[in-house]
Structures are given as C-alpha cells and as structure tokens.
Amino acid sequence: MSTQALATPMIQAETLGVSKDATQAATPNSDQSTSPAADTGGTDIVVTGRRAALEAADERKRRSETIVDSVVADDAGKLPDNSITEVLQRVSGVSIVRFAALGDPDHYSVQGSGVQVRGLTGVASRLNGREIFSANNGRAILWSDVTPELMSAVDVYKASTADLIEGGTGGQIDLRTKLPFDFDGKFHVAGTSELAVGDMARKADPSGSILVTDTFDTPIGRIGLLGDIAFSQFSSLSQFLRTSPYFKTTLSDGNARYVPSGFAYGDEAFQYKRYGIYGAAQWQPTDSLTFTGSFFQSRYKSQSSDYGTQLDSQTLAVDPATSTFDSNGLLTSTTALYNRDPNTFLPTGGTITSSGNKGFVQSNTRTRDYSLSFAWVPEGGPLSLKGSLQRVDSRQIYDRIDIFREIGFGTSFGMDLRGDLPQITVSPATQASFADPANYFWSASMPHNERNKGRLDAAQLDAEYKFDNSFFRSVKVGGRYAKRTERDLANGYNWTALGRGWNGDPQLTYANAAPGDVAFHAFKDFFRGNTTLPGNLMFASEDLASRFNVNRTGLVTPPPAGFCTGIESNCSAAGLLPVTGYGGLSGIRAPGFVLPGDQVDNRTENIAGYALLRFGPQDGAKGISGNVGVRVVHIENEGSGYIQQNGGTIFIRNGVPQTLASTFLPRGGKADFTRVLPSVNLEWSPAEKIKLRGGYNITMDLPSFNALRASGSVGVATTSNPVAGQPGTFTNFTADTGNPLLKPTLSNNVDLSLEYYGRAGTSFHLAPFYKRLTDLPIYSLTTRQVNVLFTDGFTESVNASASDYINSPKAATVKGVEVGGRFFLDMLPGALAGFGFEGNYTFIKSSNPGDVYRDINGTIRTDAPLVGLSKHNFNATLLYERNPVSLRVAYSWRSRYLLSTNSNGTNSPYTYYSAPGVITNQDGGVDTSTQIALPIYGGNYGSIDAGVRFKVTDQFSFGIQGTNLTASTQRTLMGGYPGGKLVGRSWFQSDRRLSVGINLAF
C-alpha cells in the first residue's frame, strides 16, 4: 500500500477527533508535516477505523506541550466504549470507582462513577478546554451524565501548562466535541444504532445517535453548521451481600473474640436514560478570523428500585465450642449467632429482629453549556488573539424514599465466612415464617429530596506574539474571570417511625396492608447460585414507594378510627386496610423543603492571569524545547446555610426520657486565597522517534461544595432498649458539618516521560512521577463541643462525635511510574499482520499521615493511604485490525484502594463487656462506649470486555460487544482489626452485558 493510501484513514480520524484549533499547540520542534502513520517501511498494511483512531491518539500525544493521553473516535465517530468512565479506565494511569462515590462503599455503580488520575481524585472536567460541572455539590461533571456519542475524543492531561485553567491535582480530562470545519467542507451524515441486554436485568436497551454537518461558501465568508443528537438507555441488576463490623466480644469461655454484628443482603434494579444534544456553528469571514458558537446539553434521568434486609445487633455472641476463629480471633464460622444478656452472658432466648427496606429513587440531571469564541490568527503575522464567553447551567432533581419493616429471624442464625462468599442459614421453622404476612411489622419511612442548581459564567482572553528566527518562539499571556454559584436544597434523611404503638398509632403488619402495597420479592439466581440465603422475603411494593416518593403524607396517615381497637400492639387479626395509611404522621417533617433551613448557598469567584514563554531551536534543529510560565489565581469562596438539630425522637439518657428540639441555627463563612502556580515543561528528541519530557508544576484543587457547605446537623445516637417497645438508650451526641473556610489543595508535581513512536500503530512510554500534596480536605471522625436544645427549653453544651472536614495538617505524597505501549505484527504475512497488543501498568505508592481512622479497639491510627489510590493498575488489550474486521478483547484490573475512613455502618460506637455487666472501653475506662471509624477498601477487581466490528462498505458497519464477560465480583474490605487483618465487608455482582449495533456514515 502506498503512503498516500495509508494516510487517508488517518486524516479522517483526525478530522473527527483532533481539531485544527487544538487546545494545546504543537511543540516547537515537532515535525507536523509527517506523522507516525507515514512510516510504513514498505509493508502492506490495511488500516481500519479503530487503528486509525489509535494512531491519531498517538499523534496527539506526540505533538502536545505536556504529558497527555488521548482516546479518539473512529471513522464512524464512535468511541470504543459505551460510557466515558469505561473509556477512561483503559488509559494509562487512570482508574475508575465502581461505587456510587468513594465515601459510599455500600452502593454499587455498574459503569463506574468517579475517576482518578494517577491515584488522585482531584480531576478537573473540561469541555473543549473550558470548565464544565454538574450541580451535585462537587466541582466536576458527573461522568455518567455525559453522552459519549457526542464526543470526538477525550484528552487526559497529567501535567499542566500555565495557559490551562487551574484545577486538577491529579490531572484534567477534556471532552472534545466535533466542529463543522473539522470535516474539510464536506457534507457529512453519520448515525449509530444499538440494542443491548444484561443477563440479570433482562431488559432490552436501545441507543442511537445521528450527526449532520455541512459547510457553505457565502458572500460573507465560510459558514459551517453541525447538529448531533444521541439517546441511550442502560438497565442493570446488581446484588449485594454485606457483613457488619466484627465487634470485640468476650465469650463464655472468657476469651475475647471478634464477632460480626449482623449481615445484609439485597439487590438493586437500575435504569438510566441519557439524552444528548449538541450544535455548533462556525463563521470565517476572512482566512485569519473564525467565530465559533456551540450549545451542549446532556440530560440524565435515572430510576432505581432496591430491596434489602439487614440484621444488626451489638449483643450477638456465639458458642466457642461450635464456632471457628482465625489466628487473630475473628469468627470464621458458627452454627448459631444469638442474642445474649450482657449482664449475665446467657442467651436471651428471644427472637432476633431483622429490619428491611424497600428503596426507590428517581433523579433527573441536566447540564447545558453555551459557548462563544473567536480566533484571530493572521497568516504570517506575529500577533494572534483568542477569546471566549461561556455559561454553564446545571440542575439536579433527586427523590428517594425508603420504607422499612421488621421480621423475626428466629432465635439464632448460622454464618460461614470461610469461602469466597458468606453463607447465611436459618432454621426451617424460620424460613417457613417468612411466608406469613402477619410476621412482618411496618416500622419506619425515610425520604430524601434534593433540588440543586448551579451556574458558571466565564470569560477568557489570550494573546500570543511569535518571534522570528529566535530561540524564544513566542510569548503568550491571558486572563480569565469565572463566577460559579450553586444553590442546593436538601431535606436530610428524615427517618421517622410509622405506627409503633408507643407513638400513638397502632402497630400494623403486612396482614393489614392495603391491596397492592406489599409483595414477595424473589432474589433470583442470587450471585448466580454461589451462596446460601435465608430465603425470599416480603417488602413494601414498588408501586407503594413510587406513589409516595416525593410526598409521603398518604403513606403515614393513621388507619381509620377504631381500626384494630384492643389489639393495637399487633393488628394482624384486624384484616386488610381499605386504603393506604400506616401511621406516624405526627412525627414527620413537613414534605418538601423547610426554608431557609434546607438551603445551602455557595459561591466561588476566580480571577486568573498567566504568562507563558515557548522556546526551542529553529527549523527542526536538535535541542531542548518547551515552555515556562506562571499562573496567578485569586479565589474567593463564600457559603451560607443552617445547622439542623435532628429532634423529635424520644431517648433515655441517664434514666430520664429526653427529646431534642427540631430547630435550625444559621451559619456562614467566607475566605479568599491567592496562589501562584508555576510550570516548566521541557522536551528533547535524541532521535527522530524518541522524546524525553520533564516538567515541574504546581496544580490546585478547590474543595467540593459539599466539603465547603456551611450546613450540617446535630443529633443523637442510641442503642436498642432491652425493654421491648421502649425508646432507645442514649449512646452519644453526633454532628456532621462542612467547613466553608477550607483552603485549596496544592500539589507540587515532578513528571518525567520517555516516549517512543515507531512505525504506524507502535508506541511506548515510561513515565515516573512524584506529587506532594498540602491542605488535603479530610472527612474524619473527631470530637467537638456543640450546643443542643431540648424540647423543654433546656440548652446544654455537650461533646459530640463529629464528622467534619478539615485541611490535613500534614503533607501527603504520591509517587509512581506508568509504563505502556502498543504494537501491531505488521511484519507477519497476510491476515496475521492484523494482530496487535496494547497494554499499560501503573505503580503508585502513597503516604497520607494527616488522615486518621479508629480501629476496632477505638485507637486512632494514621497509616491509611490516600483515598481512591490503588498501588497497581493494569490494562491489557488484544487487538485485531484488518479490513473488514476490527476486534478488541480488553482486560482491566486494579488492586485494593481505600474508599473511606468514616463511612456509614462502620463508624458507630459499641459497648464492650469484658465480663458480665462490666463495660470497658479499649483504654481501660469504665462505663464508656468504644468509638470506631473503620477504613473501608475496595478489593482487587478485574473484568474482561470484548467487541468485534465488521466494515461491510465505507458507509456501513456493524458490530457486537460484550461487557463484564467474566461476571466479576467486586468486594469491599474492613480494616482496623488485629494483625492488620482485612475482613469482608460487602460483595457485589452485576450483569454480563451484550450489545449489537450498526454504524452508517455518508
């Protein structure tokens, strides 16, 4: 094949993915007239669309001014995966979180949520080089919100230059869209259509997109128009198992062991519908002047329905004679966990109560970007100007309700924790009891609603002056102003009892449920049959939850007057209710939002200016080239909100019933900072195909709005009262707040990179790096004084276990190395020449002495790594690229990483009895509880995806793709146990997924 024939698909991929007006200019000594694609070596190579896209990504990396990796759409305008997170996980040094958030390890995210670059969560999101975000209390866009069909490429910046917008201690991710002038004046239409199904969800999910663009020569200049719309639906079913913390427990033989305090299991059916709209217009009145306007909208609507049962008790114990333990004293199996009397250590003989919930969530997120820009670049002239105006509007509507019930799990249950998955067993009599609706008691409801909206207005102007015949190539200066505001409305998690007898309404059971309000839920093929469950259970129905998701008033309405008179403690015999209404109305918060108490306002204003000097030898001569610059940023953060005191629940404290008042206290804060961010990027090419890069820069992250929030809550923690039906017993006061005075995080970065660009499709890189981070925001458990107000008007200053954000007093360090590359076996004969391999490995080591957790004995420890950082990340992809076939088999794997040091369910105090009736904390005190905050880790995880595409004609191709083909199980682990032992916390499993699709292009 000739060089010209080979270059054609390369050019096509670049016009779709690499704009001529790229965010980063080529390095001064780059030879832009040739590319790796032109180095054929005389070999007959057939380049298909995906290989051309890989070569375009290599060219983007080779020409950049700093360390960048790219993923480029193929000649059908398609990225290689079905979500932005899936695309990013293949990039060297990038990993994704398969949970709802790093601080929420109990909720699984099938396609992934957060993104880390080189182990850091400080990743800035950009759209065509400009800031983009979602109104979700954070700084970045929710990657799941983004429609990948609208993207021409994704750039991952791992180092910085002074002209890049500040942000991203880990890096920046720039989503690049298509522009009309990228298509060289040609009329172009492209469309995709796909149908997918998961083997557990078993729902057909359609998706599709269409792009139309054309360019016209008019009397007022060249005009280009482009429109792109996309729709995708995704349905999944994920299942989970969970064990509760292993509390230190002195058993009947006098030995202290560690016994699980319970378990949970359930599933979640999830579906999103994602709508993308993108339009762009370009006008070129003269060769030197171009105006561009664009509109981008991504809308993400989701719904989830989950069923879960939980059993938690601090008084569980086992018979050591019928149980096994590991060398650290942690339980591994037992035939019977039972409740015991802590004062005698004898079994109570009573039924162990399990709670359960039916959860239902609906959310709707919409992000819009309106941008205008111009570029004045006179041909041959020394001065050029570029500028832009931008507005981003984002909103989020979120509604969730949980409806709880209780059922007895017999007097004991068995657990076997020795295998890959926990095995939970109950007696046949207990299993039989699950079929009787009279054994299920309505217990509580808990809604959560959010209405968030954010806005960004930004303006930027850049000027560059080029020097002729000088080692100094150009000087570039510019400035940017941005104002971002966010107003969040959230009404907390208002757990409130339904009718319980003690709160004035009778105790109803499922035998009283109005028609359609309850149903059996079958946990079908649970973990594909690899574990034992106690049985299928009854829950509130999805119809009931969806009806009262926004306003639960009807759910908590008392039953009709006189219903079940005389049997108020158990109304089973009274029969069915005529209409929904299970009591507890008097205890709920008013539906909706209590203003201004539920409102949080945040504002950030940025004013930044920079100067950048580019240098390097002229006319392709050998030598060191690069850029040096400085960016000065002034930031002003301001927040206002209210501290909510969670009252209304009676508890027993020092033997006296007490109730906190429900009230709001105003709070606010304002802080401003000026930071200087220098950057130096150097490169040297000792040979034509080799580049050595080195750089030093300081990058900055602003704390999230969630961390800066002036709002918070004060409440009380209790344990179950041993007297049935009585209020809980006081344990301690609690507080949870943000900190509007947090400082920005700074990272001092040193980066090196050795890059080799061989024949077309062949590349290699080795990139060590070092980062030192100061002022990291830490969300950890501390103790601080708060004022509390009781319903009788009495105010008291008390110590509370507080979850607060602070800036770390100590620096964290991250060091590591990336290595990766790609090659094709072009030297082989015939069809064998199409085989190739792409792989990368990242090693990262961190130290974060400023973060703390409390182990199971309550001891404060500082040996946690950085949140979100895996020591090892690995990707390997088998490629086959030869017309008409394009095939990929990809394996992605990451090692264990810290999710949280203070997550729900593993940070509650517990009471340790060293002997019957003797309460002892882990420091030897008496009559005090032990406060814990266990670190939770995401376990090692790897999955295999594969896809093949057949190009029938230049205009038509079709393909098939499989995701999570190995049905991998994601684990989480609890730390803080003797000997550094990590024990299983949760196990998650989700769909294998298969999709088929077609691509058309004209």
Side-chain angles (χ1 to χ4, degrees), residues 650-670:
I650 303 172
F651 56 93
I652 305 298
R653 181 182 178 216
N654 299 325
V656 178
Q658 292 184 326
T659 308
L660 287 180
S662 296
T663 187
F664 293 96
L665 300 173
R667 183 178 185 230
K670 183 177 180 179

Side-chain angles (χ1 to χ4, degrees), residues 371-712:
S371 294
L372 294 172
S373 65
F374 79 92
W376 179 65
V377 187
E379 184 175 356
L383 179 66
S384 62
L385 295 174
K386 295 181 181 181
S388 66
L389 294 172
Q390 179 194 22
R391 167 166 285 183
V392 179
D393 280 314
S394 184
R395 73 175 190 189
Q396 181 185 55
I397 299 171
Y398 180 95
D399 296 300
R400 177 181 180 107
I401 191 167
D402 288 276
I403 303 173
F404 299 91
R405 54 98 178 115
E406 293 179 353
I407 186 172
F409 257 60
T411 57
S412 67
F413 63 93
M415 288 187 76
D416 190 339
L417 303 163
R418 293 172 293 186
D420 292 335
L421 296 168
Q423 310 289 328
I424 304 166
T425 55
V426 296
S427 69
T430 298
Q431 281 194 335
S433 71
F434 296 158
D436 186 354
N439 292 327
Y440 294 84
F441 292 82
W442 296 93
S443 64
S445 64
M446 183 174 69
H448 177 66
N449 311 99
E450 295 183 20
R451 301 290 185 271
N452 304 332
K453 64 179 183 180
R455 171 170 289 183
L456 169 75
D457 289 304
Q460 183 166 333
L461 182 65
D462 305 275
E464 184 171 14
Y465 189 89
K466 297 180 180 178
F467 304 105
D468 289 330
N469 302 316
S470 171
F471 177 76
F472 298 105
R473 307 299 300 271
S474 69
V475 61
K476 186 178 181 183
V477 296
R480 177 177 182 264
Y481 169 79
K483 178 182 178 181
R484 182 174 164 195
T485 58
E486 184 162 326
R487 186 230 62 193
D488 297 334
L489 298 177
N491 55 13
Y493 292 86
N494 182 222
W495 182 98
T496 306
L498 297 171
R500 300 293 281 169
W502 54 263
N503 64 348
D505 289 318
Q507 173 65 77
L508 301 169
T509 74
Y510 278 11
N512 307 119
D517 281 359
V518 299
F520 268 103
H521 180 71
F523 297 102
K524 298 178 181 177
D525 195 25
F526 201 70
F527 277 77
R528 295 182 165 85
N530 293 321
T531 188
T532 302
L533 284 184
N536 296 319
L537 298 162
M538 295 186 75
F539 296 87
S541 67
E542 182 170 327
D543 175 70
L544 179 69
S546 63
R547 278 191 285 141
F548 298 104
N549 190 28
V550 177
N551 185 338
R552 61 173 164 170
T553 301
L555 173 70
V556 298
T557 299
F563 187 82
C564 71
T565 300
I567 52 172
E568 287 86 358
S569 62
N570 184 338
C571 295
S572 299
L576 300 179
L577 285 164
V579 295
T580 300
Y582 303 105
L585 178 62
S586 61
I588 73 166
R589 269 185 45 145
F593 303 96
V594 178
L595 298 177
D598 289 339
Q599 180 170 327
V600 178
D601 290 282
N602 283 290
R603 176 182 63 86
T604 295
E605 287 194 50
N606 288 25
I607 300 175
Y610 74 88
L612 176 73
L613 177 66
R614 295 187 171 111
F615 57 88
Q618 293 281 343
D619 302 322
K622 298 297 183 182
I624 295 175
S625 61
N627 62 79
V628 58
V630 64
R631 190 176 188 92
V632 180
V633 187
H634 180 76
I635 309 113
E636 185 176 289
N637 290 324
E638 184 176 13
S640 62
Y642 286 78
I643 300 295
Q644 176 184 347
Q645 185 171 279
N646 297 318
T649 301
I650 303 172
F651 56 93
I652 305 298
R653 181 182 178 216
N654 299 325
V656 178
Q658 292 184 326
T659 308
L660 287 180
S662 296
T663 187
F664 293 96
L665 300 173
R667 183 178 185 230
K670 183 177 180 179
D672 62 275
F673 312 92
T674 300
R675 297 292 184 264
V676 178
L677 309 176
S679 65
V680 179
N681 291 276
L682 306 174
E683 72 170 59
W684 175 54
S685 295
E688 181 182 357
K689 299 179 180 181
I690 296 175
K691 281 198 174 186
L692 290 172
R693 300 183 194 266
Y696 168 77
N697 57 76
I698 298 178
T699 51
M700 181 188 76
D701 273 326
L702 294 177
S704 69
F705 283 146
N706 181 55
L708 288 169
R709 74 188 190 279
S711 64

Side-chain angles (χ1 to χ4, degrees), residues 677-828:
L677 309 176
S679 65
V680 179
N681 291 276
L682 306 174
E683 72 170 59
W684 175 54
S685 295
E688 181 182 357
K689 299 179 180 181
I690 296 175
K691 281 198 174 186
L692 290 172
R693 300 183 194 266
Y696 168 77
N697 57 76
I698 298 178
T699 51
M700 181 188 76
D701 273 326
L702 294 177
S704 69
F705 283 146
N706 181 55
L708 288 169
R709 74 188 190 279
S711 64
S713 63
V714 173
V716 63
T718 63
T719 55
S720 298
N721 196 311
V723 181
Q726 292 300 305
T729 302
F730 170 83
T731 300
N732 60 279
F733 292 100
T734 63
D736 188 338
T737 66
N739 182 356
L741 305 181
L742 287 174
K743 302 175 184 177
T745 300
L746 294 182
S747 179
N748 283 257
N749 313 298
V750 177
D751 298 282
L752 299 172
S753 181
L754 168 64
E755 300 165 11
Y756 170 76
Y757 302 94
R759 63 192 305 128
T762 299
S763 63
F764 172 81
H765 71 270
L766 176 68
F769 55 89
Y770 173 83
K771 297 174 179 286
R772 184 178 185 272
L773 297 103
T774 54
D775 290 324
L776 274 168
I778 295 173
Y779 181 65
S780 62
L781 192 65
T782 63
T783 300
R784 69 177 179 88
Q785 278 199 331
V786 297
N787 292 321
V788 295
L789 174 66
F790 298 93
T791 51
D792 60 5
F794 179 70
T795 300
E796 184 179 354
S797 180
V798 299
N799 286 324
S801 296
S803 296
D804 279 346
Y805 282 94
I806 61 171
N807 286 112
S808 173
K810 299 181 180 180
T813 58
V814 179
K815 53 187 175 183
V817 62
E818 297 174 17
V819 59
R822 182 194 318 112
F823 63 86
F824 283 91
L825 301 178
D826 297 330
M827 72 294 295
L828 296 181

